[in-house]
Amino acid sequence: MTATGDQRVHREVVSFVRRSARMNPSQAKAWQRWSPSHVVPVQTRETSTSVAPQPVPDWDEVFGRHAPIIVEIGSGQGDSLVPMAAARPDCNVVAFEVFEPAVASTLSKMARHEPPVDNVRLVVADGAQGLAHLFHPGQVAELWTFFADPWHKARHHKRRLVSDDLAATVVSRLVPGGRWFLATDWQDYAEWMRATLDEAPGLVNAHADSGGWAPRLAARPVTKYERRGLAAGRAIHDLEYVVAPEAGPR
Ligand SMILES: C[S@@+](CC[C@H](N)C(=O)[O-])C[C@H]1O[C@@H](n2cnc3c(N)ncnc32)[C@H](O)[C@@H]1O
């Protein structure tokens, strides 16, 4: 949102609807126990989920080690995040999720995982803005966006997470050769992603030679969103893009 001179506040176009942030008792307990160490506070603008331009966090200090950075936007309850981060112990994973109770559930899953998952930090904020403001150019090795839009937004294209603007941010924040993995269960949204990202300067469709759709990412577990889509007869589409080595100015 943007405050104007007369103090009115205009909504920014974002890809999510903020729901009530009431936590159940087990989420509240997990939040209290784990958020001080695993949720990274960021400076916001007028809304609590916005991300202000600010000094880039020292991610090595946040994680207590240097490692390649993976970002997830829209991690939900962590159903793919937790097992996928556990399978990549040599990477530091920064996950953006705007819904605080879902972050609390994720923290609880990380703690209950065997062994506990400690290579994830969460940011309760818009991941599109976070990717732009919280990382240096070329600092991110990989990006995950799985079923990140909760509805397909046939008439709300502007509210889709995948956009020309996000593609430009990805090209600037990912390292040349870095990979962006996406999945959706909405056919028209999948086609929109293809149309937008196939044309995005600096991005290359990793499967352009074999029809353009990626094979199902083996590391991606089946979450309730995928199950729901399949149960409703929808096909799941995976996509994979690579930041071109010669991608533009950073
Ligand atoms: C349908 S859920 C999918 C969660 C998870 N990726 C999975 O597959 O289980 C989408 C989540 O993305 C979050 N989300 C959508 N747009 C976002 C954004 N721009 N920044 C951060 N979170 C976002 C929503 O709040 C929601 O929890």
Side-chain angles (χ1 to χ4, degrees), residues 1 4 9 11-12 18 22 37 39 64 70 81 87 107-108 135-136 147 158 160 177 180 191 197 206 221 228 233 238:
M1 301 214 264
T4 59
V9 172
R11 277 193 53 76
E12 279 173 348
R18 198 96 197 283
R22 190 169 302 158
S37 52
V39 175
I70 298 174
L81 170 65
L107 293 167
S108 165
F135 300 91
H136 294 295
F147 308 96
K158 275 203 225 151
R160 287 175 165 173
W180 182 8
E191 283 163 11
L197 302 183
R228 200 179 286 172
D238 279 67

Side-chain angles (χ1 to χ4, degrees), residues 15-16 19 72-77 79-80 96-99 102 125-128 146-150 161 223-225:
S15 60
F16 50 86
R19 292 164 283 165
E72 176 164 30
I73 298 179
S75 49
Q77 307 212 336
D79 290 338
S80 30
F96 290 89
E97 171 53 56
V98 289
F99 189 45
D126 180 348
F146 305 135
F147 308 96
D149 283 89
L161 175 66
T223 67
K224 68 176 171 190
Y225 299 101

Side-chain angles (χ1 to χ4, degrees), residues 53 90 150 177 226 238:
D90 298 336
E226 179 162 1
D238 279 67

Side-chain angles (χ1 to χ4, degrees), residues 17 50 68 91 107 129 152 163 192 194 200:
V17 175
S50 63
C91 293
L107 293 167
Q129 296 178 36
H152 64 144
S163 66
W192 159 278
R194 282 288 307 281

Side-chain angles (χ1 to χ4, degrees), residues 177-191:
R179 279 167 197 271
W180 182 8
F181 295 96
L182 308 96
T184 183
D185 58 331
W186 294 106
Q187 181 73 30
D188 62 335
Y189 193 17
E191 283 163 11

Side-chain angles (χ1 to χ4, degrees), residues 48-186:
S48 60
T49 55
S50 63
V51 181
Q54 57 198 280
V56 168
D58 181 340
W59 290 110
D60 288 0
E61 192 178 306
V62 168
F63 283 92
R65 64 171 187 172
H66 179 73
I69 295 176
I70 298 174
V71 170
E72 176 164 30
I73 298 179
S75 49
Q77 307 212 336
D79 290 338
S80 30
L81 170 65
V82 174
M84 287 181 71
R88 304 283 292 274
D90 298 336
C91 293
N92 293 337
V93 185
V94 181
F96 290 89
E97 171 53 56
V98 289
F99 189 45
E100 231 164 57
V103 171
S105 297
T106 303
L107 293 167
S108 165
K109 275 189 192 110
M110 287 163 59
R112 283 184 283 117
H113 191 273
E114 204 41 69
V117 171
D118 199 36
N119 61 332
V120 173
R121 297 295 179 273
L122 291 123
V123 181
V124 184
D126 180 348
Q129 296 178 36
L131 186 64
H133 295 310
L134 302 176
F135 300 91
H136 294 295
Q139 194 180 13
V140 175
E142 199 168 302
L143 175 64
W144 303 336
T145 52
F146 305 135
F147 308 96
D149 283 89
W151 77 102
H152 64 144
K153 304 174 183 171
R155 279 175 297 164
H156 299 107
H157 287 191
K158 275 203 225 151
R159 299 201 58 174
R160 287 175 165 173
L161 175 66
V162 173
S163 66
D164 292 337
D165 283 353
L166 182 62
T169 303
V170 170
V171 169
S172 89
R173 265 42 197 169
L174 263 62
V175 66
R179 279 167 197 271
W180 182 8
F181 295 96
L182 308 96
T184 183
D185 58 331
W186 294 106

Side-chain angles (χ1 to χ4, degrees), residues 37-50:
S37 52
H38 288 72
V39 175
V40 180
V42 296
Q43 295 166 28
T44 62
R45 289 175 290 161
E46 285 78 9
T47 58
S48 60
T49 55
S50 63

